Amino acid sequence: MSLWTSLDPASATVDPGGSTTVRLRLRNTGDVVDEYRFEAVGALAPWTVVEPPSLRLYPGTTGTVRLDFAPPRTPDAAAGPHPYAVRITPTEHPEAATVPEGNITVTPFEEVRAELVPPTVKGRFRGRPRLAVDNLGNVKLTASVNGSDNGDQLSYDIRPGNVQIEPGRAAFIETTLRPRQTTWFGSAERRPFTLAVRRSGVAPLDVEGTYVQRAVAPRWLAACLGVLVALAITFVMLWMAYKPQVLTAATEQLQQAGVSTLPPSPSPTPEAPKAPPAASSAPPAATEPRQETGTGGGSGEKESKAPEKAPERTAATAVRELAAKDPGGRHICYRVHVRGKGWTDPACDGETAGTPGSGTPLTAANLAVAGTNGTTGRVFVHDPASTNGEGTFPDPFVNAVDGEDDYIGSTKEDAPAMLGFAVSVDRGKGAVCQSSYVHDDTWLGLACDQPGAGFDFTYAGTHDNDSWIEAVRLTV
């Protein structure tokens, strides 16, 4: 068997997300008719299409095969040169396969995504958000991070200040925000800020967040102190204006002696107390309880049955009712355990579950879904041993299929307050949106996860170790 091959061109360039074509020419230099099969091999084989996949040539004739290269616009298509090869196998003599080789250069591209977790932080003296930076390009990312705000009201401690991220990887940057002035009394103040991801020769990527600065002492304490000071001043002024005249017992006796020196007349002998009147009658005898007799002729007490307790209405109960009314719809139902009060009634599809504004923390949540291929959850609670001002995840993720209850947190009397929780549906492939009411604040903005973009769950609440949630709303 004899075969001649040629690649045109032998080297080519392609952009990720685009395509390029290389033509393979071959001539049957043998003396028999033969059919050739083509197969792309090497690292570029998944992105290579050979057309046609086979070719039949007579002796002395030439044919052409087209090789289409289409690398995706993802970090998998690394920038730089990539060798490739095509295996040519003759039907008549498969042992005499030929493998011509070429080279494809993938051009570089940069794509960066950044997100604050959480976007809103609260504190009296500091806040600690985390900046997640994802390198979605096909070259190594080198960037620096700095912070700014209107009025220079905050100082920023960013660790690390510079990062290098490989393609397809992410880095988390710890940020500590500190207000330049302390608020002693009054309501919380919202201070917007911006973290900028800077790269050489490219406009910075700005990520906006909000720091809610709380007063050291609540407003009611300042009002109470003001009232106490006013009462103290009023009391002093009244005392000075109406000071009472105090006379001692000795002064009163001397004044009486100056008026009369006669000895006092003897007082009459006190009358002996009278004996109490005799009881007129004995106390009434206690009445014995009456016993009812049965109606069947025999005597005996009536038997009374205690009312049967209604079954507990959980999130799964509510979501099954919605699924029965809307079999093809997507629904989520949920209820929360309020400390000292117990479980709330189930709420569904954006309704409020909890007691917003009551100051009472939640300690557990009960979730159930329909039409979303199950749910996954994990609770984030107060940590009394925290050294960084944040809570902790005490338990791993828990799962439940459609129509079944998923429980996170604890209903014990000494259970820690729930600061927030992570939730996803369909193992992160579906979208779920949430909003939570944070103690001493208000409802946080509606936030949703982004399936397929590296964020497979949404987080309701904050990471602040002193900011529990009082109510939630969920939709799918």
Side-chain angles (χ1 to χ4, degrees), residues 342-359:
W343 287 106
T344 64
D345 292 331
C348 300
D349 297 337
E351 297 176 342
T352 300
T355 56
S358 66

Side-chain angles (χ1 to χ4, degrees), residues 122-404:
K122 302 177 183 180
R124 296 175 176 84
F125 303 104
R126 63 180 178 271
R128 290 192 175 98
R130 303 177 71 195
L131 180 65
V133 181
D134 293 273
N135 182 8
L136 305 180
N138 64 351
V139 293
K140 181 185 292 186
L141 170 67
T142 301
S144 62
V145 180
N146 58 12
S148 62
D149 60 275
N150 293 331
D152 195 25
Q153 298 174 333
L154 302 173
S155 64
Y156 303 86
D157 183 11
I158 301 175
R159 302 179 305 274
N162 298 279
V163 292
Q164 288 188 341
I165 309 173
E166 296 293 334
R169 304 299 295 272
F172 286 91
I173 300 174
E174 305 291 339
T175 305
T176 302
L177 312 176
R178 291 185 175 87
R180 299 189 184 275
Q181 294 183 352
T182 302
T183 302
W184 295 101
F185 298 99
S187 58
E189 299 182 9
R190 302 179 70 87
R191 304 193 186 280
F193 65 92
T194 301
L195 296 182
V197 181
R198 300 184 178 275
R199 296 165 289 163
S200 177
V202 182
L205 175 61
D206 294 336
V207 183
E208 298 181 352
T210 302
Y211 172 65
V212 180
Q213 183 179 356
R214 295 174 171 172
V216 175
R219 181 183 299 176
W220 63 265
L221 180 58
C224 291
L225 291 177
V227 171
L228 291 176
V229 171
L231 291 175
I233 295 174
T234 302
F235 177 77
V236 172
M237 294 179 65
L238 291 175
W239 175 268
M240 295 176 64
Y242 303 99
K243 184 176 181 181
Q245 299 295 329
V246 180
L247 296 176
T248 65
T251 304
E252 293 178 353
Q253 290 178 1
L254 289 176
Q255 291 177 353
Q256 292 177 0
V259 173
S260 175
T261 58
L262 296 176
S265 58
S267 59
T269 304
E271 184 179 359
K274 296 180 179 180
S280 59
S281 62
T287 304
E288 295 183 0
R290 295 177 60 187
Q291 295 184 354
E292 296 184 2
T293 59
T295 59
S299 62
E301 296 182 358
K302 274 190 176 181
E303 295 182 0
S304 60
K305 290 186 177 180
E308 295 184 1
K309 186 177 180 180
E312 184 180 14
R313 181 174 170 80
T314 67
T317 308
V319 85
R320 291 193 196 109
E321 295 173 356
L322 289 179
K325 298 177 182 178
D326 182 17
R330 292 164 53 90
H331 302 284
I332 181 170
C333 292
Y334 42 93
R335 58 175 183 156
V336 292
H337 189 272
V338 184
R339 177 180 290 171
K341 299 181 180 179
W343 287 106
T344 64
D345 292 331
C348 300
D349 297 337
E351 297 176 342
T352 300
T355 56
S358 66
T360 307
L362 310 181
T363 62
N366 170 209
L367 313 173
V369 293
T372 67
N373 197 23
T375 181
T376 301
R378 188 182 188 187
V379 69
F380 190 79
V381 300
H382 173 79
D383 183 8
S386 174
T387 59
N388 61 358
E390 297 182 359
T392 182
F393 285 105
D395 305 313
F397 279 96
V398 291
N399 308 304
V401 298
D402 277 7
E404 297 295 333

Side-chain angles (χ1 to χ4, degrees), residues 20-171:
T20 189
T21 299
V22 174
R23 298 188 180 279
L24 171 64
R25 300 177 60 198
L26 66 161
R27 179 185 299 120
N28 183 357
T29 58
D31 53 1
V32 296
V33 178
D34 208 342
E35 182 177 1
Y36 305 94
R37 296 189 302 272
F38 308 97
E39 179 186 5
V41 295
L44 297 183
W47 310 328
T48 306
V49 176
V50 182
E51 186 63 31
S54 63
L55 190 64
R56 185 179 180 86
L57 294 178
Y58 287 90
T61 60
T62 302
T64 301
V65 176
R66 190 179 65 204
L67 308 177
D68 293 327
F69 298 91
R73 189 177 176 83
T74 64
D76 296 332
H82 297 270
Y84 71 92
V86 180
R87 180 184 292 113
I88 305 174
T89 305
T91 303
E92 296 296 332
H93 302 279
E95 72 282 357
T98 302
V99 185
E101 298 180 354
N103 187 76
I104 292 293
T105 300
V106 179
T107 60
F109 77 95
E110 293 185 355
E111 185 174 346
V112 181
R113 179 178 297 165
E115 181 183 14
L116 272 173
V117 182
T120 300
V121 291
K122 302 177 183 180
R124 296 175 176 84
F125 303 104
R126 63 180 178 271
R128 290 192 175 98
R130 303 177 71 195
L131 180 65
V133 181
D134 293 273
N135 182 8
L136 305 180
N138 64 351
V139 293
K140 181 185 292 186
L141 170 67
T142 301
S144 62
V145 180
N146 58 12
S148 62
D149 60 275
N150 293 331
D152 195 25
Q153 298 174 333
L154 302 173
S155 64
Y156 303 86
D157 183 11
I158 301 175
R159 302 179 305 274
N162 298 279
V163 292
Q164 288 188 341
I165 309 173
E166 296 293 334
R169 304 299 295 272

